[in-house]
């Protein structure tokens, strides 16, 4: 469970700033000062609330375990006006708002191609999340959300599992972290109703953000169905799985929601290692120190965000990685967006979703 | 140490473990298991021929595993007694040592020996353990070392004979960063301040600067706690040597996989700027931990242990070396992190405390003790389990209280189902009478 924010134990050591991806030579973005301010009665500055990525690099490495991301989220909720400049002209912000309506539900049957076995009655359900919407918007940068769903279904089918396709909306992660609790609560309650009606006992997700939201943030709405990330689910079947080895150099990006928020570092690595063997290379900033993908909750995609992403790509290039595996569709989008730019045209680097990567090398049971 | 071993009144038993302690002040009985050295202690004269011939090298624990030593040898050159020993778990039993030993001292058939001693008083000085962090790349980046490892590197009899080099490639060091409070003041390991690391880092930094003034040296600290006598002056003077002090703990360390140099990221919290620097060595001032064996000893003696694993003193300020058990004193880091000066003064205090009952030949005890009504007692044993001082035993189906070990705490009286145990001066009738008097 998340630890409550308490700034009083802060020793002002500055480890948070040393780990913060936004604290650079050019800019004074110091989590330490934010914590100091709150410990003597000030609120966190609007500028800080606007830019913080809530990536938890500060909190994970903090010797006193001061949960600043939690405080940022709460303070955002308390803001009267809407201070945030949203990326993509606020499209996703708007999407969250209209999704709250009870009349709008995703039409999965039309969207998803046939050929995958799903059932209406099974203990195992698959949570799709926002993938259908992201799909429409990011086709041009090479992101294919539909493929992630197809790949997840194909993995599960090969294991002999016919999952229930949960007809749910966005998990509400972005609204939650922007501090828009009303939207989050609405989405969460609708989703929980849908999930409970489907009768599943175990939910599998392929998105790091959905995973965190379902596992931690839905708890307060009496939601206690077991949630598993796809790599954790596969880990249980691990000795019986058969993989086609990968010939190219593979790297892995720890996304913040999966890694620092939920401490899932090893299960994706185990699977990648089983596929890539010695071709798996660790990139420089990894695990607890992993660099964020630069944007969270569709807020402020600016030059800082681009700088962080460039650093990430450079880390991967330095490690001579040819394919960087990411467990979160958002990280996938943000990194692919940078790679699609003119200046990056010559980069011999592919950013690939974890589920798609596993699926393309998965041959079935032993 | 040598003087101690030569003293006619001191018997030094090394390479041994305490297995059992029974009895009370003046009459402790201790069972000790003396582990074999596989070398005869009486005949070995420490000539060193065996060590020369031994073909097996093992990591030298005294040199923080930076150097190597032979399987047969001394743990370190000043070890007392200077009798060689074989590390059996690494030994291949090639028996070359047996061939060269002129005194025929090598004996592979030695078995652990049991010694029983009668002891008047006990001093517990189990010392400390150094914290080994799992972050800052310690253990994966070769050039991230602890203060202890740096001390061995600087020592003339250390693994590099005092040459300060990068661990990864043996090249000269140009830049060093020290990180303070690694594992101390940290909820991930120990929330307490280890008290000595600031001065240790300043001492080591000064040593480095005195020998190599060209090395650029920065200490990243949260607070410099130079609290004991002359320490503040030492700290001020160290700046004259050119040691830089930056207020801010290093956030992360990244290693260049090719050159093995380390890039550090920190916030200079006073200038409020990012520090992004490449250094050759990072030295971690790691926390002092309690000795893991302290728990076992505390169970044997009935001592209290705090949540960090340190022994609890009788009173933090007024009886810092006494414990709740008569005749048992503690000193040094067994009771908490301490500087050498403090540990020495505690050792002297503990020695005197231990001598006191021995010279007097008697101890005074209070009379508030548990009393057993032998007619009612059925010998269920609940009191024996409840006693925190191991003062009650069951003999012939009756509880027997050792009046010297008993401290009159009343735990037994509380659990006794037949009310057979009472406390002297606090018998039920006495308390009833007091209540009656009050109620009048």
């Amino acid at each position: 469970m998340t630890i409550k924010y308490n700034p009083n134990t802060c020793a002002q050591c500055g480890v948070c700033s040393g780990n913060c991806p936004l604290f650079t030579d050019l800019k004074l973005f110091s989590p330490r000062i934010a914590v100091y301010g709150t410990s003597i009665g000030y609120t966190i500055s609007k500028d800080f609330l606007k830019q913080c990525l809530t990536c938890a690099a500060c909190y994970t490495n903090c010797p006193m375990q001061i949960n600043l991301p939690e405080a940022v989220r709460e303070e955002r909720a308390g803001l009267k006006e809407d201070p945030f400049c949203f990326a993509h002209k606020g499209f996703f912000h708007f999407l969250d708002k209209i999704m709250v309506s009870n009349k709008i539900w995703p039409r999965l049957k039309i969207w998803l191609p046939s050929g995958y076995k799903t059932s209406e009655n099974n203990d195992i359900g698959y949570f799709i999340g926002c993938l259908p919407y992201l799909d429409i918007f990011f086709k041009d940068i090479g992101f294919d959300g539909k493929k992630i769903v197809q790949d997840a279904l194909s993995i599960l089918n090969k294991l002999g599992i016919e999952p229930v396709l949960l007809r749910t909306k966005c998990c509400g992660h972005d609204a939650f972290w922007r501090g828009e609790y009303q939207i989050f609560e609405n989405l969460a309650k609708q989703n929980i109703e849908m999930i409970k009606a489907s009768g599943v006992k175990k939910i599998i997700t392929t998105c790091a953000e959905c995973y965190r939201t379902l596992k931690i943030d839905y708890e307060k709405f009496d939601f206690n169905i077991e949630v598993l990330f796809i790599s954790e689910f596969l880990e249980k079947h691990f000795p019986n799985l058969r993989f086609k080895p990968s010939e190219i150099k593979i790297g892995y990006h720890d996304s913040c929601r999966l890694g620092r928020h939920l401490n899932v570092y090893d299960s994706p690595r185990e699977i990648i290692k089983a596929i890539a063997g010695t071709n798996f290379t660790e990139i420089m900033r990894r695990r607890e120190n992993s660099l964020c993908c630069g944007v969270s909750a569709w807020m402020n995609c600016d030059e800082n965000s681009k700088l962080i992403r460039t650093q990430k790509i450079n880390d991967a290039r330095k490690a001579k990685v040819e394919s960087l595996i990411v467990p979160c569709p958002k990280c996938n989008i943000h990194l692919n967006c940078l790679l699609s730019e003119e200046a990056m045209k010559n980069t011999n680097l592919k950013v690939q979703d974890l589920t798609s990567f596993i699926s393309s090398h998965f041959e079935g049971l032993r | 140490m040598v003087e101690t071993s030569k003293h006619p009144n001191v018997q030094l038993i090394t390479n041994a473990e305490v297995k059992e302690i029974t009895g009370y002040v003046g009459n402790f009985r201790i069972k000790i298991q003396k582990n074999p050295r596989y070398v005869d202690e009486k005949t070995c004269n420490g000539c060193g021929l065996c060590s020369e011939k031994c073909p097996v090298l093992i990591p030298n624990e005294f040199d923080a595993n930076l150097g190597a030593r032979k399987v047969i040898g001394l743990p370190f050159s000043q070890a007392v007694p200077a009798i060689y020993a074989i590390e059996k778990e690494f030994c291949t039993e090639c028996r070359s040592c047996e061939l060269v030993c002129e005194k025929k001292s090598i004996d592979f058939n030695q078995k652990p020996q049991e010694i029983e001693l009668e002891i008047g008083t006990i001093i517990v000085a189990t010392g400390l353990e150094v914290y080994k962090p799992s972050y800052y790349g310690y253990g994966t980046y070769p050039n991230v070392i602890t203060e202890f490892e740096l001390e061995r590197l600087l020592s003339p009899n250390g693994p590099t004979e005092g040459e300060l080099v990068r661990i990864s490639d043996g090249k000269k060091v140009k830049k060093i960063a020290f990180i303070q409070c690694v594992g101390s003041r940290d909820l991930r390991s120990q929330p307490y301040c280890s008290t000595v690391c600031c001065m240790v880092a300043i001492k080591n930094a000064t040593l480095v600067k005195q020998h190599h003034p060209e090395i650029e040296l920065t200490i990243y600290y949260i607070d410099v706690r130079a609290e004991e006598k002359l320490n503040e002056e030492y700290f001020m003077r160290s700046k004259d040597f050119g040691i830089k002090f930056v207020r801010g703990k290093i956030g992360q360390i990244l290693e260049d996989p090719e050159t093995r140099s380390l890039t550090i990221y920190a916030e200079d919290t006073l200038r409020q700027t990012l520090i992004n620097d490449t250094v050759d060595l990072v030295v971690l001032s790691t926390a002092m931990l309690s000795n893991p064996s302290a728990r076992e000893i505390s169970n044997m003696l009935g001592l209290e242990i705090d949540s960090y694993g340190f022994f609890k003193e009788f009173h933090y300020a007024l009886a810092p070396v006494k414990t709740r058990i008569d005749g048992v004193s503690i000193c040094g880091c067994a009771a908490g992190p301490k500087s050498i000066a403090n540990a020495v003064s505690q050792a002297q205090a503990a020695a005197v405390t231990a001598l006191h009952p021995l010279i007097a030949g008697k101890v005074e005890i209070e009379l508030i003790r548990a009393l057993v009504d032998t007619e009612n007692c059925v010998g269920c044993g609940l009191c024996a389990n409840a006693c925190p001082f191991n003062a009650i035993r069951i003999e012939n189906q009756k509880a027997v209280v050792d009046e010297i070990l008993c401290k009159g705490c009343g735990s037994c009286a509380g659990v006794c189902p037949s009310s057979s145990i009472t406390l002297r001066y606090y018998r039920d009738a006495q308390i009833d009478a007091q209540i009656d008097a009050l109620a009048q």
Side-chain angles (χ1 to χ4, degrees):
Chain A
M1 213 36 235
T2 44
I3 297 175
K4 240 186 119 35
Y5 175 70
N6 175 14
N8 297 345
T9 52
C10 180
Q12 294 290 309
C13 69
V15 163
C16 45
S17 312
N19 280 288
C20 182
L22 282 171
F23 188 65
T24 58
D25 289 328
L26 309 169
K27 200 166 118 205
L28 180 69
F29 183 88
S30 170
R32 179 188 62 82
I33 294 174
V35 174
Y36 176 62
T38 53
S39 75
I40 54 169
Y42 294 94
T43 50
I44 301 174
S45 76
K46 232 175 240 177
D47 194 46
F48 192 95
L49 293 179
K50 219 172 184 176
Q51 298 196 39
C52 176
L53 297 165
T54 59
C55 73
C58 49
Y59 164 52
T60 314
N61 294 291
C62 174
M64 299 317 280
Q65 301 287 289
I66 295 168
N67 199 344
L68 183 60
E70 202 67 16
V72 166
R73 188 175 55 69
E74 272 167 22
E75 294 243 342
R76 278 175 182 171
L79 283 177
K80 293 263 173 348
E81 74 257 52
D82 220 6
F84 309 126
C85 49
F86 297 114
H88 307 287
K89 299 200 170 67
F91 172 77
F92 292 100
H93 181 211
F94 179 64
L95 204 61
D96 283 348
K97 274 187 178 165
I98 53 171
M99 230 188 295
V100 169
S101 161
N102 220 350
K103 290 173 190 132
I104 303 171
W105 288 93
R107 287 192 281 182
L108 296 174
K109 287 229 168 81
I110 298 172
W111 174 66
L112 209 65
S114 54
Y116 297 96
K117 280 180 249 163
T118 57
S119 68
E120 293 300 318
N121 267 319
N122 198 334
D123 284 354
I124 296 173
Y126 174 55
F127 190 91
I128 297 175
C130 300
L131 288 171
Y133 320 110
L134 302 181
D135 212 12
I136 308 162
F137 208 91
F138 295 106
K139 265 262 149 64
D140 55 326
I141 59 160
F143 174 78
D144 197 346
K146 199 191 286 175
K147 193 165 173 299
I148 298 174
V149 179
Q150 287 171 345
D151 287 336
L153 290 178
S154 119
I155 292 171
L156 292 174
N157 285 169
K158 275 182 195 166
L159 287 169
I161 297 163
E162 294 173 15
V164 180
L165 263 192
L166 296 171
R167 208 165 141 261
T168 50
K169 300 180 174 179
C170 164
C171 64
H173 169 276
D174 296 343
F176 184 61
W177 285 95
R178 278 196 298 258
E180 295 170 321
Y181 287 148
Q182 213 53 49
I183 298 180
F184 167 67
E185 205 177 318
N186 263 315
L187 288 171
K189 281 187 175 157
Q190 290 182 35
N191 281 339
I192 289 170
E193 207 174 297
M194 243 352 181
I195 293 169
K196 282 190 174 158
S198 71
V200 296
K201 298 208 173 69
K202 204 184 264 184
I203 300 171
I204 297 169
T205 77
T206 47
C207 167
E209 291 183 344
C210 296
Y211 183 44
R212 156 156 181 142
T213 313
L214 263 63
K215 198 159 182 174
I216 298 179
D217 304 322
Y218 274 20
E219 213 170 57
K220 50 180 160 284
F221 306 114
D222 281 332
F223 179 76
N224 40 25
I225 296 171
E226 190 186 359
V227 188
L228 287 171
F229 193 65
I230 183 101
S231 66
E232 284 186 316
F233 180 74
L234 288 176
E235 209 180 20
K236 296 189 175 164
H237 296 267
F238 200 56
N240 301 322
L241 305 182
R242 205 149 42 84
F243 294 109
K244 186 168 72 193
S246 158
E247 300 299 325
I248 57 170
K249 267 213 151 80
I250 306 291
Y252 177 68
H253 158 73
D254 288 283
S255 59
C256 50
R257 288 331 187 232
L258 193 62
R260 282 187 289 258
H261 284 233
L262 286 159
N263 274 324
V264 180
Y265 297 108
D266 292 321
S267 71
R269 281 187 168 76
E270 287 302 314
I271 294 172
I272 295 173
K273 272 182 202 162
I275 297 170
T278 50
N279 280 331
F280 174 62
T281 331
E282 289 279 15
I283 59 171
M284 196 152 70
R285 275 168 268 210
R286 58 177 179 264
R287 297 182 77 98
E288 287 88 352
N289 291 332
S290 171
L291 202 60
C292 172
C293 70
V295 192
S296 96
W298 305 115
M299 285 160 59
N300 50 78
C301 174
D302 52 13
E303 66 278 4
N304 295 308
S305 149
K306 209 166 184 176
L307 181 69
I308 296 168
R309 281 180 280 165
T310 316
Q311 284 172 355
K312 183 97 228 173
I313 296 294
N314 282 343
D315 274 4
R317 286 207 297 209
K318 248 187 223 165
K320 301 197 172 60
V321 165
E322 287 164 89
S323 180
L324 186 68
I325 310 298
V326 293
C328 172
K330 298 265 183 69
C331 299
N332 189 340
I333 291 166
H334 298 142
L335 294 174
N336 262 320
C337 170
L338 183 75
L339 286 177
S340 68
E341 278 185 21
E342 202 55 44
M344 287 281 180
K345 274 276 153 12
N346 297 325
T347 315
N348 180 26
L349 177 73
K350 222 166 44 171
V351 173
Q352 208 180 352
D353 187 81
L354 178 69
T355 315
S356 302
F357 173 73
I358 296 172
S359 165
S360 61
H361 291 89
F362 185 45
E363 292 186 320
L365 289 167
R366 236 178 250 281
Chain B
M1 278 198 294
V2 180
E3 240 174 85
T4 314
S5 71
K6 294 246 163 75
H7 197 282
N9 286 349
V10 176
Q11 187 191 356
L12 197 63
I13 305 174
T14 56
N15 201 17
E17 294 164 52
V18 176
K19 287 285 168 197
E20 199 192 317
I21 304 173
T22 50
Y24 48 83
V25 55
N27 299 295
F28 285 114
R29 292 189 73 81
I30 302 194
K31 272 191 195 144
I32 299 166
Q33 181 185 308
K34 192 170 186 316
N35 294 324
R37 292 171 191 273
Y38 306 103
V39 174
D40 192 339
E41 285 173 26
K42 292 193 185 88
T43 53
C44 174
N45 61 1
C47 68
L49 273 177
C50 52
S51 194
E52 246 169 63
K53 276 283 175 287
C54 179
V56 187
L57 285 168
I58 55 170
N60 189 341
E61 216 180 323
F62 182 69
D63 279 343
N65 294 339
L66 290 173
R69 72 176 186 93
K70 296 289 176 67
V71 162
I72 186 165
L74 292 174
F76 56 100
S77 48
Q78 297 93 346
V80 171
I83 299 162
Y84 281 51
I86 296 173
E87 300 287 333
K88 196 63 185 286
E89 46 180 322
F90 302 105
C91 180
T92 56
E93 296 203 29
C94 68
R95 305 205 170 217
S96 334
C97 44
E98 235 172 11
L99 290 176
V100 293
C101 182
E102 287 169 358
K103 296 270 185 185
K104 301 278 172 253
S105 300
I106 314 282
D107 178 8
F108 277 94
N109 297 323
Q110 271 185 5
K111 293 269 161 336
Q113 243 179 310
E114 209 157 84
I115 305 172
E116 240 188 276
L117 291 175
E118 278 198 21
I119 301 282
T121 49
I122 297 171
I123 299 174
V124 179
T126 44
L128 67 125
E129 178 94 358
V130 179
Y131 175 64
K132 298 236 168 0
S134 57
Y135 43 96
Y136 283 140
Y138 181 75
T140 27
Y141 303 161
N143 290 329
V144 177
I145 59 173
T146 61
E147 213 66 70
F148 181 53
E149 286 162 6
L150 176 72
E151 264 177 30
R152 291 314 301 155
L153 279 183
L154 292 173
S155 169
N157 65 356
T160 55
E161 294 176 344
E163 203 69 46
L164 183 58
V165 292
R166 282 157 54 111
I167 309 289
S168 61
D169 48 16
K171 280 188 192 152
K172 268 205 165 156
V173 174
K174 295 193 190 85
K175 233 179 198 183
I176 309 180
F178 284 71
I179 312 180
Q180 297 307 108
C181 302
V182 178
S184 324
R185 308 173 72 190
D186 186 334
L187 292 184
R188 288 168 294 183
S189 55
Q190 305 303 338
Y192 54 77
C193 166
S194 294
T195 67
V196 298
C197 341
C198 287
M199 294 319 292
V200 171
I202 294 170
K203 184 264 289 176
N204 282 344
T206 313
L207 266 182
V208 171
K209 267 288 186 190
Q210 279 172 341
H211 288 111
H212 310 278
E214 74 283 358
I215 292 179
E216 214 176 295
L217 212 150
T218 316
I219 296 181
Y220 293 90
Y221 69 97
I222 310 177
D223 305 291
V224 173
R225 296 186 167 169
E227 53 193 16
E228 278 169 33
K229 194 176 176 181
L230 293 176
N231 283 358
E232 184 67 18
E233 292 89 323
Y234 189 79
F235 163 44
M236 288 301 154
R237 199 169 59 110
S238 70
K239 291 180 188 169
D240 295 341
F241 289 107
I243 300 165
K244 282 188 266 180
F245 287 84
V246 173
R247 198 200 170 281
K249 196 167 161 183
I250 289 176
Q252 52 178 326
I253 304 172
L254 300 175
E255 188 192 47
D256 188 318
E258 274 157 33
T259 61
R260 296 269 179 180
S261 291
L262 304 159
T263 309
I264 54 166
Y265 293 85
E267 184 191 0
D268 182 337
T269 58
L270 298 180
R271 287 174 63 234
Q272 299 187 347
T273 50
L274 175 76
I275 293 175
N276 175 355
D277 202 358
T278 305
V279 298
D280 296 310
L281 268 188
V282 170
V283 183
L284 310 177
S285 295
T286 49
M288 268 192 192
L289 309 181
S290 60
N291 193 322
S293 68
R295 205 159 285 277
E296 256 173 75
I297 303 237
S298 77
N299 285 341
M300 275 187 246
L301 281 167
L303 294 180
E304 270 183 302
I305 255 187
D306 65 16
S307 58
Y308 311 127
F310 292 113
F311 289 102
K312 262 192 194 165
E313 49 282 89
F314 189 75
H315 188 283
Y316 158 72
L318 301 176
V321 297
K322 276 192 178 164
T323 65
R324 67 177 195 171
I325 307 290
D326 279 339
V328 179
S329 19
I330 46 169
C331 67
C333 294
K338 241 166 231 88
S339 65
I340 294 173
N342 266 341
V344 168
S345 58
Q346 276 214 332
Q348 287 171 347
V352 173
T353 312
L355 268 182
H356 204 260
L358 297 183
I359 293 171
K362 58 181 181 187
V363 281
E364 277 177 24
I365 57 167
E366 290 203 40
L367 287 174
I368 307 169
R369 291 293 184 255
L371 293 174
V372 182
D373 178 354
T374 40
E375 266 175 40
N376 273 344
C377 177
V378 291
C380 68
L382 281 176
C383 50
N385 285 339
C387 179
F389 302 97
N390 299 332
I392 303 179
R393 58 186 190 277
I394 307 293
E395 271 175 19
N396 301 329
Q397 300 285 312
K398 301 283 173 205
V400 178
V401 177
D402 186 321
E403 292 221 358
I404 296 173
L405 280 178
C406 175
K407 289 276 174 286
C409 69
S411 304
C412 49
V415 296
C416 181
S418 60
S419 305
S420 308
I421 295 197
T422 46
L423 286 184
R424 195 180 280 140
Y425 304 134
Y426 292 94
R427 294 184 181 93
D428 289 354
Q430 286 172 312
I431 292 173
D432 283 347
Q434 283 177 14
I435 294 171
D436 284 348
L438 267 177
Q440 267 172 11

